[in-house]
Amino acid sequence: MLPIDRRHLYDGGELTGLECVGQHVTIPGPAGMLEGITACPDKETRGAVAVILHPHPLYGGTLNNKVVYCLSQTCNQLGIPSLRFNFRGVGESTGVYDDGRGETEDCLAVLDWVQERRPGFDIWLAGFSFGAYVAYRSVRRHPRISHLLTVAPPVNLFDFGSLPTPACPWTLIQGELDELVPAVGVANWVDTLPVQPRKILLPADHFFHGQFNAMQAALLESLSDEVTGIGVSDPCRESSLS
């Protein structure tokens, strides 16, 4: 178990009362079926899909996490449909927790599933905390990932040092008041890398309480130019991910 106490539990049911903005999907994974939810823009979409990874499964992390949902909404505002899914052993997903190894294989299976349904589309890969670790593990292992987005990557809790740096554009969001993943540790790690991410620092704790609007605004400003270069595809609702 990680050195995390009950103050750091993620509320896995925090969005259960919210009306679903997309469709429930079931995706074949290496340990069984994976549960996912799509979310699509109201109008047209860009030629990309975002896959978003949730925080630690053993501490309440699920696809209903508020940061994960905020990332999904932000991608939709940029004209990009998103898919968030539960890692193995979470919600209706089959399997048991595997310390990031099996979860990486889950992620790669989902990326392949998205690529099969949207051939030729770019894929943006995003993750929060443990999800950021899995995203960082996966980014060099799939050819369609065109942007990596990591929120509070837990460099003090998992081994990031042995992993290759991303070959695609990369955005890193960090809370300056993060009590679980200290901002200074993340900054020191980034300083050792040959590839530097685009950095967004917010006056936030690990859970980004009260900072979701600021996070979304910062991402929209930071990524708008990159999105315009993707081009426009067919309306999402005429080309369902399910």
Side-chain angles (χ1 to χ4, degrees), residues 6 11 26 30 44 77 79 81-82 101 113 122 124 127 135 138 143-144 150 155 176 191 201 206 208 212 221 232 241:
R6 292 195 63 83
D11 182 0
T26 303
E44 61 187 19
Q77 288 198 30
S82 72
R101 296 177 298 267
W113 184 88
D122 288 340
W124 287 20
S138 303
R144 296 305 308 180
T150 55
V155 299
E176 295 174 305
D191 285 344
L201 296 177
H206 184 70
F208 290 85
F212 294 114
E221 179 180 0
V232 178
L241 281 171

Side-chain angles (χ1 to χ4, degrees), residues 113-131:
W113 184 88
V114 169
Q115 183 177 13
E116 180 180 338
R117 280 152 182 78
R118 294 292 181 88
F121 275 45
D122 288 340
I123 298 176
W124 287 20
L125 182 60
F128 168 42
S129 196
F130 174 79

